[in-house]
């Protein structure tokens, strides 16, 4: 998929990996709709900023009405603070599924016809290596990411006939403020040498997208996927 001259919409661009996606896509010559729940927090020169909450259907529909020229959809936005499946707050667990699964799905359903009209294009869903393991202190998040992986595989099959590439970006650990805060809160020591910078994971993602890859994995994700053949385990 050629990025020069393409039109991308990125969710959750006010911080973290989404911010970096919007920045690098612009740098590679794409037009970018940089979306966020609070658009006033988006500071990305050259991007067209849109308000978008992926868990609100009317907000998704409004974005799709404006961004009719999109041929790349980057589903990055998600809540990540799920907590424990057994003892955690059920509303927080529902929010995990709402944003990671139903939010991503709402975006895909709204934009699939637009991508078809614009020649097929591509969708990148930002998953996580925890989809293939679990994570101490955030089992609800890991389970939601597993569901999002299943969704990604299903949508890839369904959209193949309209020529849409559906790619899974599977990062291991990316040093955004959200990850650093989580590790501190849980008293977890981040393993040395495996935490990527947001710029590194996005560079990997966009190179993979340009190469037409359907799964884009960083080294920790490669190791985690390989370990699926063994007994279930937790990352960390
Ligand atoms: N950091 C990691 O180690 C890591 C590893 C693997 C995968 N990932 C995945 O990468 C993606 C980004 O992670 P990150 O570390 O950059 O997270 P982050 O810094 O916490 O950013 C999350 C972004 O998603 C937005 N968001 C949350 N719910 C939303 C909703 N309903 N509608 C629209 N936007 C919403 C947030 O907006 P607000 O500011 O309004 O909350 C924020 O912009 C997530 O899908 C995450 O699961 C991260």
């Amino acid at each position: 998929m050629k990025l020069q001259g393409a039109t991308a919409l990125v969710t959750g661009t006010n911080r973290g990996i989404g911010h970096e996606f919007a920045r690098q896509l612009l740098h590679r010559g794409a037009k970018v709709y940089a979306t966020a729940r609070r658009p006033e927090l988006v500071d990305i020169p050259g991007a067209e900023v849109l308000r978008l909450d992926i868990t609100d259907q009317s907000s998704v529909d409004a974005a799709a009405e404006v961004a009719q020229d999109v041929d790349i959809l980057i589903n990055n936005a998600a809540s990540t603070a799920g907590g424990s499946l057994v003892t955690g707050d059920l509303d927080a667990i529902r929010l995990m599924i709402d944003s990671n699964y139903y939010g991503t799905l709402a975006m895909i359903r709204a934009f699939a016809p637009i991508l078809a009209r614009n020649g097929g294009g591509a969708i990148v869903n930002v998953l996580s290596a925890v989809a293939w393991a679990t994570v101490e202190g955030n089992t609800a998040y890991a389970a939601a990411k597993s569901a999002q992986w299943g969704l990604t595989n299903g949508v890839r099959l369904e959209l193949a006939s309209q020529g849409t590439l559906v790619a899974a970006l599977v990062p291991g650990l990316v040093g955004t403020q959200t990850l650093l805060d989580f590790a501190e809160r849980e008293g977890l020591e981040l393993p040395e040498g495996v935490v990527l910078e947001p710029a590194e994971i996005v560079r990997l993602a966009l190179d993979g997208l340009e190469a037409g890859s359907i799964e884009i994995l960083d080294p920790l994700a490669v190791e985690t996927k390989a370990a699926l053949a063994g007994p279930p385990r937790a990352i960390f």
Side-chain angles (χ1 to χ4, degrees):
M1 173 90 208
K2 204 158 154 269
L3 300 180
Q4 173 75 42
T7 300
L9 184 145
V10 186
T11 62
T13 61
N14 55 303
R15 57 194 169 105
I17 296 170
H19 182 270
E20 191 57 32
F21 256 117
R23 227 184 47 74
Q24 288 194 30
L25 279 160
L26 281 165
H27 190 69
R28 292 194 191 208
K31 171 181 169 182
V32 174
Y33 291 102
T35 74
R37 292 195 278 205
R38 292 168 294 166
E40 64 279 11
L41 299 183
V42 179
D43 181 16
I44 305 172
E48 200 158 313
V49 179
L50 291 181
R51 180 186 304 277
L52 173 60
D53 180 338
I54 61 166
T55 61
D56 174 350
Q57 188 62 51
S58 59
S59 176
V60 170
D61 292 342
E65 207 168 302
V66 172
Q68 288 283 319
D69 51 347
V70 163
D71 53 11
I72 299 176
L73 170 63
I74 310 281
N75 283 315
N76 161 79
S79 301
T80 57
S84 161
L85 281 166
V86 179
T87 57
D89 177 44
L90 200 52
D91 285 340
I93 296 169
R94 286 208 172 92
L95 182 60
M96 285 302 99
I97 296 292
D98 265 352
S99 65
N100 284 284
Y101 186 87
Y102 286 113
T104 300
L105 183 58
M107 288 299 294
I108 291 169
R109 289 167 62 101
F111 278 87
I114 295 173
L115 297 176
R117 278 199 298 279
N118 295 331
I123 297 172
V124 178
N125 289 343
V126 182
L127 311 181
S128 166
V130 301
W132 296 326
T134 190
V135 61
E136 188 96 36
N138 209 355
T139 48
Y141 168 65
K145 283 297 184 193
S146 302
Q148 200 187 20
W149 183 45
L151 175 159
T152 303
N153 293 332
V155 166
R156 179 179 306 118
L157 191 70
E158 291 187 33
L159 296 187
S161 60
Q162 69 170 44
T164 302
L165 171 77
V166 179
L169 172 66
V170 191
L173 298 168
V174 184
T176 60
Q177 199 54 50
T178 295
L179 175 73
L180 302 180
D181 290 348
F182 169 73
E184 192 181 332
R185 231 177 13 252
E186 296 294 318
L188 297 170
E189 205 158 305
L190 293 169
E192 258 196 33
V194 297
V195 180
L196 298 191
E197 290 300 320
E200 292 177 282
I201 192 70
V202 170
R203 203 173 308 121
L204 194 72
L206 297 184
D207 288 349
L209 184 56
E210 289 199 300
S213 307
I214 57 169
E215 262 188 0
I216 304 160
L217 279 56
D218 72 7
L220 181 57
V222 170
E223 187 195 312
T224 310
K225 193 176 186 192
L228 272 176
R233 60 174 202 152
I235 280 186
F236 286 120

